[in-house]
Amino acid sequence: MFRTALRNVLAHKARLLMTVLAVMLGVAFVSGTLVFTDTLSSAFRSQSAKSYDDVAVAVEMYPDAAEARKAPGLSQQDVDRVAKLDGVASVTPRVDGFAGVPDKNGKLIGSGWSNKGTNFAPGKDGKDRAYAFTTGTGPAGAGQIALDKDTADKGGYKVGDTVRVATNGPVKEYTLSGVFTTEDGAVNAGGSLVVFDTAVAQQLYLKPGYFRNLTVTAAPGADDAKLLAEVVQVVPKAASAQTGQALADEQAKQIESGLGALNQILLGFAGIALFVGIFLISNTFTMLVAQRTKELALMRAVGASRKQITRSVLAEAGLVGLLASAVGYVLGIGLAVGLRSAMSAFDMKVPGGDLVLGATPAVSAFAVGVLITMLAAWLPGRRAAKIPPVAAMNSVHASASTKSLVVRNSIGAALTAIGAVLIVLGAGQGGDSGRMLIAGGAFVTLIGVIVLIPFLSRPVIALIRPLFVNLFGVSGKLAGLNAVRNPRRTGATASALAIGLTLVTGLSVLGATVGSSLDKATTDQVKADYMVSMASGDSLSKEALAALEKAPGVTAVSPQQAGALEIKGSYVSASGVTPGDIEKVLKLPVVNGSLSTLGKGGIAVDEKVAKKRGLKVGDTVTVEYLDKQKAELTVGAVFQGNEFVSPVLIDHKLLTAHEERAEIRQIFVSAEGGASAAHEQALSKAMGDNPAIQVMDHKEIRDTFGGPINLMLNIMYGLLGMALIIAVLGVVNTLAMSVFERQQEIGMLRAIGLDRRRVKRMVRLEAVVISVFGAVVGIGLGTFLGWAIGETMKSSLPDYALVLPWDRIGLFLVLAALVGVLASLWPARSAAKLNMLSAIKAE
């Protein structure tokens, strides 16, 4: 039986090639994901261990507001005390923050959040062990800086050049003293690193004489744990300390956790590919069994048992799965290398290291590939074993009994109903628990629809068929009839497309709905022409606000200065704004009172907070600022909430008087005549052409808030394209099977006048009918899931309303039809080339 299986594999190479491709894609994703994450994890762990190789103890200090007034960080005295401890070889103190460098065109190098500045901390030898200088030296005074090599190369800077550096304050110019290489995380993330003289860095980021953290190098023979205990005794209580090994282990765990999320996403798509592939594999083996019906019957007649027949089909599937797994594993290694290169292309640096080819990816690849293939082939093999020898030899193919179809449809309907109920319950419950219900319901519904899909094929295709008859005549009529001739096979083929389009449509509906809601929460609530913010996400300075107020053409300016007030025993977030201008730059519908009272020292309260705390216009409340100072303020207005401001509004001057440093998150600006290139240039110039400050118009605001969603959707579309490729192979298989079964029929049609062109058209239209049927099922189910998930997010999305992206849905239908046309090219050509006399004689 094994020799028979091997012979059958070699005899049907073209058919089995499509199965190999389907399994291969899924296996490649599984093995590639595991190899990729193993390689990245190993590289980052090695880098982490290398970064802390010489670190015995690391200390950092992030005091709370009260402690920061006494000591904002580690003082020079703290550093000196640590340096005097027995067993300490050296101490390296650091202070860091945001620093951005523009290229020659004035654009910020890096992404903002990964642009970092720190201090040069040389030892007794005049070298800082964190930096290996390729040219020049470290900064030796207030007017010098050093840059990492990648930033210097991107900006075209050389030692001696003048470099403009943006921090949270005004842009300043420095002389480049040196260029270095480093293992710093900011640089590895594709950002930049600017190294200042220590006094300059302290002035910029903390306070003269203070550091944020320090690392201790131990003398030979010193014990790290003992040294840690001694360090803890001499540093402030607000500081935290741990050994370098503990820090390296903690960072390695964070890396594992971060890569674990990526790993799960990629493996999820691998699972989708394999799940879709099951239908193709099952169809392929159903076709092969049908082609060998007489052969299998003869084997039964000469003594082969049912178990032997089933084992023969499973052995054949095992061989195919083994081949597909081997090719998929090799392809997965290439995929891992490609993903690593792609990260570099997006300026996400990956530490150097060898490709890690562990046992787990290889074992997983072969286990998944072989098991999935054998699982999908088991049912066709079982059916083959059940065919009575006499019936098979007489070409009397056993058709599905009415009882079996009733049982199948009943099970499918029950599963679909149960899943739909779970989805509706999840949508009503909302939150994470609701989404869990929806996930379970979606899986059950998908299985139910797959079981039920042969039953659905007849009524759905009956709706589509008249269109094809009217457009294409006899060819269209025959295509519609052929598509429902074998509902099981049609359903299995359409299932592959339905699964892919369920996911794609669900994501599209969710993306369109969330995007529309974000638009309402962003650009629809912004009356200003521009929103100004830091690329790093840090706060803007008071100087930036003053500069914008004086810029030419500006008609209204208001900051969104973050703060907090204690009202009636608990703190509530507050926004410091400019009275008289805030209502000109943001839409703030007033329920009661007037926002003009902000200029008289009053406050305005969001209607939800007002209701919750029992506040109304005219109430005088005692508020406590963060500096513990108290004041009596009057509620002058109750307004409808806006996503850009906090629940309480107050004059920013009042808030600033009680804060050491103003936390200005955004500044909204309206200009005379609206947004224009001239106004944007004037605003940039007013802020010293600071590359770290973003001046965004309405479109850029929308892109900032909606961009991540669109990026996620595009990534999902790309990955789910793999499922559609497998679906194409499934349609090819089904049509090839259909042509094989209908050789006599096609011969008769040719004999009575149906020319080759119409035969091709008939097969192509059959493929389109099957593909559009799968698309309709997938789009319907995907829309339902998109609505349900959207309902769970309703409470966190302002002005939520379901949005159906009709343009994308129409595109999906067109693409489904195109999939059918492409998949039909080979089967249609084969059908048209059939010799009519030979086909008529074929048994």
Side-chain angles (χ1 to χ4, degrees):
M1 297 304 292
F2 179 78
R3 286 198 300 272
T4 302
L6 183 61
R7 186 202 69 190
N8 287 326
V9 168
L10 297 174
H12 301 96
K13 294 185 285 291
R15 296 278 187 272
L16 292 171
L17 177 62
M18 287 179 281
T19 299
V20 169
L21 287 172
V23 179
M24 180 186 71
L25 286 172
V27 169
F29 245 74
V30 172
S31 58
T33 296
L34 295 175
V35 170
F36 175 66
T37 50
D38 283 352
T39 300
L40 248 62
S41 180
S42 174
F44 279 116
R45 277 199 304 269
S46 298
Q47 183 196 50
S48 178
K50 184 179 178 182
S51 300
Y52 297 104
D53 191 36
D54 296 330
V55 177
V57 178
V59 183
E60 62 180 11
M61 185 172 172
Y62 289 92
D64 59 28
E67 292 168 334
R69 293 191 187 95
K70 301 175 184 176
L74 297 161
S75 67
Q76 184 62 52
Q77 289 75 19
D78 295 327
V79 176
D80 294 339
R81 280 194 292 270
V82 172
K84 291 176 183 178
L85 293 173
D86 290 337
V88 173
S90 64
V91 179
T92 305
R94 301 281 184 203
V95 58
D96 50 43
F98 169 77
V101 175
D103 58 20
K104 295 298 184 182
N105 297 320
K107 298 294 183 182
L108 185 68
I109 298 173
S111 55
W113 60 269
S114 59
N115 297 111
K116 179 181 170 185
T118 188
N119 63 301
F120 185 62
K124 295 177 182 178
D125 58 357
K127 296 180 180 178
D128 189 327
R129 61 186 179 82
Y131 315 115
F133 281 85
T134 56
T135 57
T137 60
Q144 293 185 340
I145 60 162
L147 287 177
D148 68 275
K149 188 176 186 303
D150 287 342
T151 301
D153 290 343
K154 290 174 185 176
Y157 297 115
K158 295 179 182 178
V159 173
D161 286 353
T162 298
V163 181
R164 299 174 70 246
V165 180
T167 57
N168 290 349
V171 177
K172 294 183 180 179
E173 293 185 345
Y174 299 86
T175 300
L176 184 61
S177 66
V179 176
F180 57 84
T181 58
T182 180
E183 294 295 330
D184 190 277
V187 177
N188 286 323
S192 61
L193 182 61
V194 182
V195 176
F196 298 93
D197 177 71
T198 294
V200 174
Q202 289 176 328
Q203 181 67 43
L204 286 172
Y205 301 126
L206 203 57
K207 193 175 181 180
Y210 287 92
F211 300 94
R212 182 62 67 200
N213 55 67
L214 60 86
T215 55
V216 179
T217 302
D223 181 73
D224 289 358
K226 182 180 178 182
L227 195 58
L228 173 63
E230 293 177 353
V231 168
V232 170
Q233 297 298 318
V234 299
V235 297
K237 291 182 179 179
S240 60
Q242 56 186 325
T243 63
Q245 183 60 51
L247 202 59
D249 292 343
E250 182 181 315
Q251 194 170 84
K253 287 181 181 178
Q254 291 174 350
I255 292 167
E256 293 283 353
S257 176
L259 291 176
L262 175 65
N263 196 22
Q264 289 174 4
I265 291 171
L266 293 176
L267 285 176
F269 285 105
I272 292 168
L274 290 169
F275 186 58
V276 174
I278 286 175
F279 299 98
L280 170 56
I281 298 164
S282 181
N283 257 4
T284 300
F285 279 93
T286 299
M287 177 169 59
L288 294 176
V289 167
Q291 290 177 338
R292 292 161 42 208
T293 300
K294 287 192 175 183
E295 176 190 325
L296 294 173
L298 182 60
M299 292 176 68
R300 288 289 314 283
V302 298
S305 67
R306 288 185 175 184
K307 289 184 177 179
Q308 285 179 311
I309 296 295
T310 303
R311 283 200 295 267
S312 173
V313 175
L314 290 178
E316 191 175 336
L319 290 171
V320 172
L322 198 62
L323 174 63
S325 298
V327 176
Y329 176 64
V330 174
L331 198 64
I333 295 173
L335 179 64
V337 174
L339 286 171
R340 191 170 175 176
S341 300
M343 290 184 73
S344 299
F346 283 100
D347 282 338
M348 296 176 64
K349 289 192 176 181
V350 180
D354 297 330
L355 197 68
V356 178
L357 301 177
T360 302
V363 171
S364 300
F366 282 91
V368 166
V370 174
L371 288 176
I372 287 292
T373 309
M374 293 181 70
L375 175 65
W378 174 75
L379 192 57
R382 189 166 171 270
R383 285 178 186 159
K386 284 185 174 182
I387 298 174
V390 175
M393 280 191 240
N394 287 315
S395 298
V396 180
H397 293 254
S399 57
S401 66
T402 303
K403 181 180 177 182
S404 70
L405 291 174
V406 169
V407 170
R408 176 180 178 136
N409 293 338
S410 299
I411 293 172
L415 288 173
T416 303
I418 291 169
V421 169
L422 288 174
I423 291 171
V424 172
L425 287 175
Q429 185 169 331
D432 291 337
S433 57
R435 284 189 280 274
M436 290 296 290
L437 272 176
I438 291 172
F443 180 76
V444 174
T445 303
L446 202 57
I447 298 297
V449 168
I450 289 167
V451 173
L452 199 60
I453 206 166
F455 172 76
L456 296 174
S457 64
R458 290 186 181 278
V460 174
I461 292 176
L463 293 174
I464 303 172
R465 192 164 57 207
L467 175 65
F468 287 86
V469 174
N470 293 332
L471 291 176
F472 303 104
V474 174
S475 296
K477 183 176 182 179
L478 290 172
L481 292 171
N482 291 334
V484 294
R485 178 175 293 186
N486 191 329
R488 287 177 184 265
R489 192 169 62 237
T490 297
T493 304
S495 294
L497 266 175
I499 292 167
L501 282 173
T502 294
L503 296 169
V504 171
T505 305
L507 288 169
S508 297
V509 170
L510 187 60
T513 300
V514 174
S516 173
S517 180
L518 285 177
D519 274 351
K520 292 175 182 177
T522 55
T523 51
D524 288 357
Q525 294 190 16
V526 177
K527 294 165 70 175
D529 298 308
Y530 298 100
M531 184 177 81
V532 180
S533 63
M534 291 289 292
S536 62
D538 291 331
S539 300
L540 290 154
S541 65
K542 291 183 288 185
E543 291 79 9
L545 176 61
L548 289 171
E549 289 173 337
K550 297 174 184 176
V554 170
T555 57
V557 177
S558 178
Q560 196 291 97
Q561 182 175 331
L565 300 172
E566 185 183 281
I567 301 176
K568 293 192 174 182
S570 61
Y571 277 97
V572 60
S573 59
S575 289
V577 299
T578 301
D581 281 3
I582 184 62
E583 59 266 43
K584 296 178 183 177
V585 296
L586 292 177
K587 291 181 182 177
L588 296 170
V590 176
V591 179
N592 286 307
S594 172
L595 291 177
S596 63
T597 55
L598 291 173
K600 301 172 184 176
I603 58 173
V605 184
D606 180 295
E607 60 180 337
K608 292 180 181 178
V609 172
K611 184 177 180 181
K612 183 179 179 181
R613 294 177 181 263
L615 299 174
K616 60 183 183 297
V617 173
D619 286 354
T620 299
V621 293
T622 301
V623 302
E624 183 176 283
Y625 296 97
L626 290 176
D627 63 356
K628 304 302 180 182
Q629 296 284 329
K630 294 184 178 181
E632 298 289 326
L633 300 179
T634 302
V635 178
V638 174
F639 66 96
Q640 292 180 15
N642 184 301
E643 292 299 306
F644 286 96
V645 292
S646 299
V648 175
L649 303 182
I650 186 172
D651 188 337
H652 72 91
K653 293 178 182 177
L654 286 177
L655 206 57
T656 301
H658 297 277
E659 292 183 341
E660 189 172 333
R661 182 172 179 268
E663 295 288 332
I664 301 176
R665 299 300 184 189
Q666 297 101 17
I667 301 175
F668 297 94
V669 181
S670 289
E672 188 177 356
S676 68
H679 284 315
E680 186 172 343
Q681 187 176 1
L683 295 179
S684 295
K685 188 175 180 181
M687 291 176 293
D689 291 321
N690 190 328
I693 296 179
Q694 299 173 314
V695 180
M696 294 183 284
D697 58 19
H698 275 235
K699 181 181 181 301
E700 290 166 326
I701 296 172
R702 182 181 285 110
D703 291 343
T704 298
F705 287 91
I709 293 175
N710 293 329
L711 177 62
M712 180 195 72
L713 286 175
N714 290 334
I715 292 172
M716 296 293 187
Y717 290 154
L719 292 171
L720 289 170
M722 180 174 56
L724 298 181
I725 292 173
I726 297 174
V728 170
L729 299 176
V731 177
V732 173
N733 256 4
T734 295
L735 292 176
M737 176 77 167
S738 180
V739 170
F740 169 77
E741 287 181 346
R742 300 190 336 249
Q743 289 186 59
Q744 285 185 322
E745 177 186 318
I746 292 171
M748 287 297 296
L749 290 171
R750 292 273 288 112
I752 61 175
L754 194 68
D755 58 21
R756 289 184 174 181
R757 181 173 59 85
R758 289 182 178 177
V759 169
K760 285 183 180 180
R761 182 186 295 168
M762 176 185 71
V763 177
R764 279 198 292 267
L765 291 176
E766 182 180 345
V768 171
V769 168
I770 294 171
S771 298
V772 171
F773 164 56
V776 168
V777 173
I779 288 169
L781 187 55
T783 301
F784 180 46
L785 288 175
W787 162 80
I789 297 172
E791 287 291 310
T792 66
M793 305 165 69
K794 197 172 184 178
S795 60
S796 58
L797 292 173
D799 301 316
Y800 170 86
L802 179 68
V803 176
L804 295 180
W806 293 111
D807 53 341
R808 294 186 186 183
I809 289 174
L811 179 62
F812 295 156
L813 285 171
V814 171
L815 287 176
L818 184 61
V819 162
V821 172
L822 292 175
S824 68
L825 293 178
W826 173 55
R829 187 168 176 270
S830 299
K833 288 177 68 176
L834 281 175
N835 183 292
M836 66 181 75
L837 295 178
S838 299
I840 292 170
K841 290 192 299 179
E843 296 182 1

